[in-house]
Amino acid sequence: MGFTEASTIQRSLIEWAEEAGWEHLPGDELPRDDHDVIVEDSVREALLALNPDLVGDPESADLVLHELNQAILDAQNGLVAANERLTVMLRGDHSFPTIDGEHVPRRLIDFDDFDNNRFIVADEVTITGAVKPRRFDVVYYVNGFPLVVAETKTPVKQQVSWVNAARDIYGTYEEEYPNFFATNVFNVATEGLELRMAPIRAVPDPDSEIWAPWGSTEDDPKVITGPARVERAARLLLRPETILPILKDLAMFRHARDASEIDVKFLPRYPQFEAALGIHQKVLEGRPGGLIWHHQGSGKTELMAFAAARLLRDPTVAEVFGGAPTVIVIADRKDLVRQTAEMFETAGMPRMSVPKNRRELFALLRSGEPGVIITTVHKFAEAGHLNDRSNIVVLVDEAHRSQEGKFGEAWRAAVPNAKFFGATGTAIQDKDRSTFKLFGDPADPDFVMSRYTPEQSIADGFTKPVIVEGRSVGFSLDKEALDEAFDELAADEALDEDEKVYLSSKASHIETILSNPDRVAAVCADIVDHFLAYVAPIGQKAQVVAYNQRLVIAYARAIEEELERRGAVMPDGRRREVGVVMHIADSKDTPKEYRQHLLTPEQEEALKRRFKKVDDPMSFVVVTAKWMTGFNAPIEGVLYLDKPAKDANLFQTITRPNRPWKNPITGQRKDYGRVVDYIGLAKAIGNAIAGPEAKGGEDDDLNVTDASKLAGKFVADLTRLLHLFAGIDTTDSSFDSLAEAHERIPEDSAARSDFVETYVALQTVWEFLDPHPMLTPFKQQYFWLAKVYESIRPKDVSKSFLWARLGAKTTELIHGHMNEVVVKSMASRTVTLDAAGLALVKRIAEQLRVPSTAPEGPDQPDVYQQVLDSIEARLHRRLAETESPVYKSLAERIEKLRAKAIENVEDSLAFLEEALRIAQDVVAADRAAEEGDEETLERIADPKRGVLTQIVEENTPPGLHQIVPEIVDRIDAIVHEVAYTGWTSSDTGDKAVRRELRAVLKNYSLPIKGDLFDRIYQYVRENY
C-alpha cells in the first residue's frame, strides 16, 4: 500500500489521541446528521449531567440547545464574533433563559474534573449544506462540541506541506462552513514533518507566526526535529490537559478599533502556555513568585495577560486566599499598557481597570477590589504602603528595567505581601543587581521557573537570527603634535595641573571623537550606502542609535542630506524621510534645535505607525535612548549602532530587528535581522547574548553571526548544487541545457529533493547578502540554478518550499538599479570580534580558567593582546621555575603572534585559533611536565615536527614506522635549508621545496605523488 495521509500522520493522530484518553469513532458512526455541527445527543447528556436542575425541566434544556444552535448559525455573519460568543458559553459564563423567564448560567464542560466529560476523536467527518460537501480529516469533540479540527497531508510528496493543510482550513472549510468552526478552540495543520496550530481565520503562510509550532521549553530544538517534533507536539497539544485550559482561560479576542482593522482571536504559544499555568500553580502553592526568562520578541506582554486571566478566572485561587485576587500587571510603557488592556476586552473576562493617574491607582489598591489593574511602573512613585493583602499577584513585564531603584522599591513597598512574578528577555546578574534574586523562587532550578532560549525562539520561527556586521571607523592622530599644542594652550592660559587634567579628561571623552564632523559624515554615508544596497530593496526600515541628543540631530541631518544627494526615493517617487525620537524637556531652557523634535505621546505613536507601514516614506528613525528597548516593529530590518551600551540594555537594543516580517506587497521575507556596529561592541554583544547564567560551551552562533560566514555558506551550497550538474554548460541557457539538468534531478528522486532544499537555502543567503562583492563571480551560475529551480518548483498554490521567496532583489530590474550603488569599505586598523571569535576567546578563557571579560574605560586594552597577556601570565610562572625548551618555544610562539597584523575578519579568526592552540599547549605542557611525559613535551616544543610526524605515520607502511622520526627530521632540515621568507609566492622557491620533499620521500621508498606528498607539502607551505 502506498503512503497516504490516512495511512501515515492521520492514523498516528488517532493512535496518540486514544493513548491520551480520547474515544475513537469513525466520522460516519457519530450520532449526528451530516449537516449538524454539534453532536446533540452528547451535548444534551452533558448539559443534564452538569446542570441537575434541568433534568426535570426538558423545555429549559431545549432553550439552551436552541440558543447554542442559533449562535452557531450566526457564524455566517462573522466567524470571529460567533466564536467569541460560543467561547463565553462553553466557559459557563453565559446565562441562558429558562421556560419561566429567568436567566441562569449553564455548565457545558466540566473544567474541574475532566472525567465528567466525554472526549471523542473522529476521523473523516463529513459536513454538508453548502455548495459542496466537505470532509474533515480529524475532529476532536468534547461533550459533542467540535473543539479542534486537524487537517493532514501526506509526508511523502515534495509539493505538499502543512501549508496546504492550513490553506484548506482557511480558504475552503472556514469560508464554506464557518458554522462548524463556531465552537473551535484552535485548528491544526500537519503533513507529518511539521505541525502547526492557529486560531480561526489565521492566514496561512510558510513563515507564519500565527500558525505556530507547539512543543516544550524542556526540549532541545537541535535534537527534537521532523517527525519526532510532530509526535511530541501532538501528544502535548492534542490532549484535554491543554485544550481545556486554553478554552477556559487563555483564548482571547482583540476587537477592531476602526474600519482598517478586524476582530482577531489570540491563543498562547507553548512557552506562554507553560508559564501561565506555572504562575497559576505557584500562586495556589503559596510560593513567593518566580522569574520567567523568555527571549526578546517571544511575547512576554501577552503572557502577562494570559497569566492574569488564568488567575482571575479560577475560583480555587479565591478559596485558597479567602477572597478573589487582585492581579496587577506592571509595564514600563503606555503602549504596552494599552496592548495588554485590549486583550482583556474579551466578553466574559474579569473586571479590568486602567488607572489614568497615581490617585486612581492608589484608590484602587486601597479598596482591595478584585480584578486586574494594568498600569505603568511610574505611577507607583510616592505610593507608600497601600495594602497588606496576600491575595495580590504582581506580574511585571520587562522585569530587568523596573526592578531596581525607586520604582522597584515603590511597588514592592505598596503591596508588601503580594506575590511577584517577573518576565524578562534579559536577566541581569552583577555585583549590584540580580533579577534572579528579586524574582526567582529558590525552589526553581537556577532561580528560573520558565526558560525559553534564543535558540528555541529562532527554531520555532518566533524570532530571527541577528547578523552583526562590524565596522571600524579609523582615524590618524599625531599625538606628539597634539601634546605640544595642549602644553602651549596650558601655558598661554596659565593653567594649573588640576585644570590641565580636567581639560585633558574632557577632551579625551568618547563624545569628542564621535562628534567629529568628518566622522559623522563618514558614518552616515556608510549607513546610507548600506541601507540602499541591502535594506531598502526589501522594503524594510532602519533605526540608528546615536550617542546623545546633539548627535541624534546631527546624524538625522547628515542622513537626510545623503538621501537627498543620492536621490533616494520610495518606489512611488516620494522622498525618503528621517524621524527623530528622544526625550526632550518641554522647557524654555531646551535649545531651539531640540524643541523642534518635541513629540506629544500622540505624535510619537503616529510616527511609530508610519514607521511600521511598508509604503510610508518614513524610512529611518534616529534615537539615543527611546525606542532602543521595548520597541516592536517587525519591519525594522537593520539597527545602526554608534553608541556604547552593555549587558541587558545592549541585548535589548540589538534584538530590535529580530522580529519576523513579510513584505505585504512583494512577499519578501526577513530571514535575518542586521546590526551594523560602528562602535566596536562585538565582544560586549557576545557577552550580552550569552546572558548571566549561560553555561560554557553553548553555541551562540544561532543568535549572532558574522556576515562573512554567510558568504562562505553561499559558496559551499553553490558548489554542492553545481556538483549535481557536473559537465553541463551553465552558460548555455538553451532548452537542451535545461532538459539535461532535468535528467539529473528526476521527479520524486532524492536528487530533486536535495536540489530543492539546498537551492532554497542558497536563495535565502543570496537575498540577504546581495550585493556582497563575494557573490559577483557566482552571479551567472546562481541565475542558471534559479532558472532550473523555477522550471521544476511546485506550481500549486502552496509554494511549500518557498519560505524564502524569490524577492524583488533577484529580478534584473532591481539589480540594474543596484548597480548604481557603490558600497564603501571603511579603512580598518583593528577588527571587532565576530561570533566565532567570541567563541574562541571564551574557549581560551576556559582553557586557562581566567575571566574572558575586558576592563571598562577609555584605556581598555586591545582584546587580541589581552588574550596573549592571559596566556603569557600562566606561561611566565613556569618559565620562572624551569629552563625547559618547551616553555621557551611557547613563549616564542606568543611573541610571533604578537607581531601579526590583524586587518580583516579572517586575520582575526586565524589569530584567535592560533592563540587557542597555544593556550591548549600551555595546559598540555603543564600536565605532561607533572606526569614526566617527555614525548608530549618534545612534540609541544616543536609543534611543526609533531604534526609532520602524524602525517607521515598515517601514510607510511607499518614496516617503516620505526624510521618515521628520521624522515621527519630530514624533512624539517631540508625545508629550513631551502625555504626562505616569501618562498610560497616565488615560483623558484616553491619548486625547490617541492623537489627536495620528493627527494626525501624517494630516499625512503615512499611515494612521491599522492596523498602523503600533498599533505606534507600543504602543511609545510602553511607553517614553514
Side-chain angles (χ1 to χ4, degrees):
M1 183 183 77
F3 288 106
T4 67
E5 58 208 65
S7 70
T8 51
I9 183 60
Q10 184 171 317
R11 177 186 295 171
S12 294
L13 287 178
I14 298 296
E15 291 174 356
W16 298 332
E18 288 182 299
E19 292 173 16
W22 298 80
E23 173 190 352
H24 174 224
L25 282 178
D28 57 7
E29 294 183 17
L30 287 170
R32 58 179 279 275
D33 293 330
D34 285 351
H35 61 269
D36 289 337
V37 171
I38 62 175
V39 181
E40 195 162 302
D41 288 350
S42 296
V43 173
R44 183 183 293 274
E45 181 181 339
L47 181 64
L48 298 179
L50 298 175
N51 303 273
D53 59 304
L54 288 176
V55 174
D57 189 2
E59 291 177 316
S60 293
D62 288 341
L63 288 177
V64 173
L65 291 169
H66 173 76
E67 189 165 348
L68 284 169
N69 281 313
Q70 197 62 46
I72 290 170
L73 288 173
D74 282 346
Q76 299 286 349
N77 302 317
L79 176 53
V80 176
N83 187 251
E84 181 176 2
R85 185 181 177 193
L86 265 300
T87 297
V88 174
M89 292 180 177
L90 292 172
R91 285 173 171 169
D93 294 335
H94 179 76
S95 294
F96 290 88
T98 67
I99 199 66
D100 298 327
E102 298 178 2
H103 283 77
V104 180
R106 299 298 183 190
R107 297 173 68 204
L108 301 171
I109 296 173
D110 192 333
F111 293 102
D112 299 319
D113 187 347
F114 289 179
D115 291 339
N116 292 332
N117 303 302
R118 187 178 184 191
F119 301 99
I120 293 177
V121 60
D123 51 341
E124 307 296 330
V125 177
T126 301
I127 184 77
T128 61
V131 176
K132 182 178 180 180
R134 294 295 179 185
R135 188 170 58 190
F136 306 122
D137 291 332
V138 185
V139 181
Y140 297 77
Y141 290 88
V142 177
N143 293 347
F145 296 101
L147 299 188
V148 177
V149 172
E151 181 70 9
T152 64
K153 297 295 178 184
T154 175
V156 295
K157 286 185 179 178
Q158 185 187 85
Q159 298 90 343
V160 176
S161 77
W162 69 267
V163 182
N164 300 77
R167 285 185 172 141
D168 285 349
I169 292 172
Y170 175 81
T172 302
Y173 302 154
E174 289 182 351
E175 290 283 349
E176 295 178 0
Y177 291 96
N179 53 324
F180 197 86
F181 295 86
T183 62
N184 184 275
V185 179
F186 56 81
N187 293 313
V188 169
T190 181
E191 86 286 46
L193 302 177
E194 282 191 75
L195 183 146
R196 303 290 184 99
M197 60 87 71
I200 53 168
R201 304 315 296 148
V203 178
D205 188 292
D207 210 24
S208 173
E209 292 179 79
I210 306 301
W211 279 93
W214 200 263
S216 168
T217 55
E218 296 179 358
D219 294 340
D220 184 342
K222 297 176 184 176
V223 174
I224 301 180
T225 61
R229 174 72 185 264
V230 169
E231 179 175 355
R232 176 76 164 149
R235 290 185 180 277
L236 290 171
L237 175 66
L238 297 170
R239 56 178 183 162
E241 293 82 0
T242 301
I243 297 170
L244 294 189
I246 292 177
L247 170 61
K248 178 178 177 289
D249 300 319
L250 306 181
M252 295 188 176
F253 298 81
R254 183 174 294 167
H255 301 122
R257 289 176 291 184
D258 54 49
S260 67
E261 297 181 343
I262 59 173
D263 291 347
V264 176
K265 182 176 182 179
F266 280 90
L267 296 175
R269 300 166 178 170
Y270 73 87
Q272 297 166 329
F273 175 83
E274 286 183 15
L277 267 61
I279 290 172
H280 174 250
Q281 187 61 35
K282 277 185 174 288
V283 170
L284 290 177
E285 293 172 355
R287 299 303 303 170
L291 176 62
I292 297 99
W293 188 5
H294 288 187
H295 182 44
Q296 209 63 35
S298 55
K300 291 179 291 297
T301 301
E302 290 88 349
L303 165 59
M304 299 291 97
F306 292 132
R310 175 81 169 168
L311 291 167
L312 289 162
R313 294 185 52 81
D314 184 9
T316 308
V317 175
E319 293 172 10
V320 169
F321 292 98
T326 299
V327 178
I328 307 171
V329 179
I330 298 179
D332 64 349
R333 297 199 326 275
K334 292 179 180 178
D335 59 328
L336 293 180
V337 169
R338 186 187 66 250
Q339 179 182 335
T340 308
E342 287 173 357
M343 298 186 71
F344 275 86
E345 294 176 359
T346 300
M349 291 301 289
R351 176 180 176 274
M352 176 186 68
S353 301
V354 184
K356 297 177 182 177
N357 49 48
R358 294 179 188 175
R359 182 170 46 80
E360 284 190 17
L361 173 64
F362 300 167
L364 277 170
L365 290 177
R366 287 193 184 102
S367 70
E369 292 185 19
V372 62
I373 299 171
I374 307 174
T375 186
T376 59
V377 63
H378 310 89
K379 288 188 174 66
F380 279 91
E382 301 174 7
H385 179 269
L386 297 176
N387 202 308
D388 275 330
R389 288 164 51 215
S390 61
N391 62 344
I392 296 176
V393 180
V394 181
L395 306 176
V396 184
D397 194 8
E398 302 295 355
H400 59 279
R401 293 211 293 268
S402 52
Q403 63 182 324
E404 306 292 348
K406 62 180 182 180
F407 292 129
E409 293 171 359
W411 49 257
R412 287 178 180 272
V415 286
N417 295 321
K419 290 155 180 60
F420 298 99
F421 294 88
T424 182
T426 49
I428 295 174
Q429 176 70 56
D430 59 31
K431 63 180 181 180
D432 299 318
R433 301 170 296 169
S434 174
T435 316
F436 304 95
K437 289 183 180 178
L438 280 170
F439 289 98
D441 183 344
D444 292 326
D446 298 323
F447 290 87
V448 179
M449 64 169 285
S450 178
R451 179 76 169 106
Y452 185 56
T453 67
E455 288 80 4
Q456 290 170 320
S457 179
I458 292 170
D460 289 336
F462 297 147
T463 55
K464 293 294 182 181
V466 174
I467 302 294
V468 177
E469 301 181 31
R471 292 288 193 273
S472 180
V473 187
F475 61 92
S476 59
L477 185 67
D478 188 338
K479 190 174 186 304
E480 291 183 5
L482 179 64
D483 289 342
E484 288 178 12
F486 184 72
D487 288 340
E488 288 178 14
L489 172 66
D492 292 343
E493 299 296 331
L495 301 178
D496 61 28
E497 195 62 30
D498 287 343
E499 290 170 328
K500 287 176 66 176
V501 170
Y502 173 76
L503 274 182
S504 178
S505 63
K506 289 286 285 185
S508 64
H509 192 272
I510 188 171
E511 182 184 2
T512 307
I513 297 172
L514 297 184
S515 60
N516 180 298
D518 291 339
R519 187 185 186 282
V520 171
V523 168
C524 290
D526 188 68
I527 285 173
V528 174
D529 272 336
H530 185 276
F531 177 81
L532 294 178
Y534 294 97
V535 185
I538 304 175
Q540 295 174 350
K541 305 292 184 74
Q543 184 176 180
V544 182
V545 180
Y547 182 74
N548 57 21
Q549 291 181 322
R550 185 160 67 90
L551 282 170
V552 166
I553 294 172
Y555 279 44
R557 288 175 179 168
I559 292 170
E560 285 174 341
E561 290 170 2
E562 280 291 323
L563 290 171
E564 185 173 356
R565 183 176 69 81
R566 298 160 192 255
V569 296
M570 298 288 289
D572 60 5
R574 287 181 293 169
R575 280 186 177 182
R576 292 188 179 274
E577 299 178 28
V578 181
V580 168
V581 179
M582 56 186 181
H583 294 280
I584 300 173
D586 190 4
S587 143
K588 65 179 187 304
D589 298 326
T590 301
K592 183 179 179 181
E593 63 268 27
Y594 290 10
R595 287 185 59 82
Q596 67 177 331
H597 298 292
L598 178 65
L599 300 175
T600 66
E602 292 73 23
Q603 289 172 326
E604 186 176 332
E605 189 61 33
L607 182 61
K608 281 183 183 178
R609 288 197 295 270
R610 288 191 62 195
F611 185 78
K612 293 179 180 181
K613 292 181 180 177
V614 70
D615 57 351
D616 193 290
M618 182 56 63
S619 303
F620 287 84
V621 62
V622 188
V623 308
T624 184
K626 274 193 169 185
W627 291 18
M628 274 178 65
T629 58
F631 175 52
N632 185 17
I635 197 173
E636 182 177 318
V638 62
L639 182 136
Y640 298 104
L641 182 61
D642 203 20
K643 174 182 178 178
K646 63 180 182 178
D647 299 333
N649 200 42
L650 174 60
F651 182 76
Q652 286 234 318
T653 299
I654 65 170
T655 54
R656 291 310 96 204
N658 79 345
R659 276 54 166 181
W661 178 79
K662 176 183 176 182
N663 189 317
I665 299 172
T666 66
Q668 187 74 15
R669 288 184 180 83
K670 180 198 293 185
D671 294 302
Y672 303 90
R674 295 179 186 267
V675 172
V676 182
D677 169 26
Y678 294 92
I679 204 73
L681 289 176
K683 185 170 189 292
I685 287 170
N687 291 339
I689 283 174
E693 292 295 320
K695 302 297 188 293
E698 286 186 354
D699 182 8
D700 293 329
D701 286 359
L702 190 57
N703 314 319
V704 172
T705 309
D706 187 279
S708 63
K709 282 188 172 183
L710 290 182
K713 173 177 169 50
F714 175 87
V715 174
D717 285 349
L718 180 75
T719 303
R720 179 181 171 190
L721 282 184
L722 291 174
H723 182 70
L724 287 171
F725 305 103
I728 300 177
D729 183 5
T730 61
T731 63
D732 181 3
S733 59
S734 68
F735 177 80
D736 290 342
S737 169
L738 190 62
E740 189 176 354
H742 274 235
E743 291 177 3
R744 303 285 184 89
I745 48 172
E747 191 172 356
D748 294 329
S749 68
R752 176 165 293 197
S753 296
D754 186 44
F755 171 75
V756 169
E757 292 171 10
T758 307
Y759 177 79
V760 169
L762 188 78
Q763 183 186 79
T764 300
V765 177
W766 175 278
E767 293 285 338
F768 182 79
L769 287 178
D770 187 39
H772 193 292
M774 190 173 179
L775 302 182
T776 303
F778 308 105
K779 183 176 181 179
Q780 179 272 320
Q781 293 170 313
Y782 171 75
F783 279 113
W784 184 84
L785 290 170
K787 181 180 178 183
V788 174
Y789 174 76
E790 188 64 23
S791 70
I792 61 99
R793 74 175 175 85
K795 294 301 191 291
D796 63 24
V797 295
S798 78
K799 296 184 178 65
S800 57
F801 285 95
L802 297 185
W803 61 279
R805 286 183 53 188
L806 252 163
K809 286 178 62 180
T810 55
T811 66
E812 285 299 327
L813 178 63
I814 295 297
H815 276 287
H817 287 291
M818 289 176 67
N819 288 335
E820 302 291 327
V821 179
V822 178
V823 179
K824 295 180 180 179
S825 60
M826 304 296 288
S828 171
R829 290 188 174 185
T830 59
V831 179
T832 56
L833 290 173
D834 64 355
L838 289 168
L840 285 167
V841 171
K842 190 174 182 181
R843 290 176 62 192
I844 291 168
E846 288 169 355
Q847 280 289 322
L848 304 175
R849 297 182 180 176
V850 298
S852 62
T853 54
E856 303 289 338
D859 298 324
Q860 180 174 343
D862 181 277
V863 66
Y864 305 100
Q865 298 306 320
Q866 187 187 34
V867 164
L868 294 186
D869 290 344
S870 66
I871 300 172
E872 210 164 45
R874 172 150 180 179
L875 185 59
H876 279 166
R877 291 198 301 271
R878 286 294 188 179
L879 283 169
E881 300 169 359
T882 177
E883 292 292 324
S884 172
V886 67
Y887 293 108
K888 291 182 179 180
S889 171
L890 289 167
E892 290 171 1
R893 287 166 65 186
I894 289 177
E895 288 309 310
K896 287 181 181 178
L897 200 52
R898 281 195 192 280
K900 282 196 173 182
I902 300 175
E903 298 179 350
N904 52 48
V905 172
E906 289 73 22
D907 290 346
S908 171
L909 290 177
F911 179 101
L912 291 168
E913 285 168 355
E914 176 60 19
L916 176 59
R917 283 193 286 269
I918 296 174
Q920 290 169 334
D921 284 347
V922 168
V923 175
D926 284 350
R927 189 181 302 115
E930 291 172 1
E931 297 173 356
D933 185 351
E934 293 298 329
E935 184 179 338
T936 297
L937 289 172
E938 288 178 9
R939 179 190 60 77
I940 296 173
D942 194 347
K944 292 178 183 176
R945 293 186 70 255
V947 175
L948 277 173
T949 297
Q950 183 178 351
I951 292 173
V952 176
E953 280 182 341
E954 290 175 355
N955 294 273
T956 299
L960 292 176
H961 275 188
Q962 67 272 17
I963 62 170
V964 164
E966 185 180 334
I967 299 170
V968 171
D969 284 341
R970 184 64 187 136
I971 292 172
D972 186 70
I974 284 291
V975 174
H976 280 102
E977 289 169 10
V978 301
Y980 53 87
T981 301
W983 70 269
T984 56
S985 57
S986 164
D987 185 60
T988 302
D990 184 71
K991 285 181 178 177
V993 171
R994 287 174 179 269
R995 183 173 58 251
E996 294 300 330
L997 286 178
R998 287 195 176 98
V1000 172
L1001 295 177
K1002 187 175 182 180
N1003 286 341
Y1004 289 96
S1005 300
L1006 293 173
I1008 60 174
K1009 291 183 180 180
D1011 194 44
L1012 174 60
F1013 173 84
D1014 292 341
R1015 289 182 64 189
I1016 292 175
Y1017 170 77
Q1018 191 61 38
Y1019 185 78
V1020 167
R1021 184 177 177 85
E1022 290 173 0
N1023 293 278
Y1024 281 76

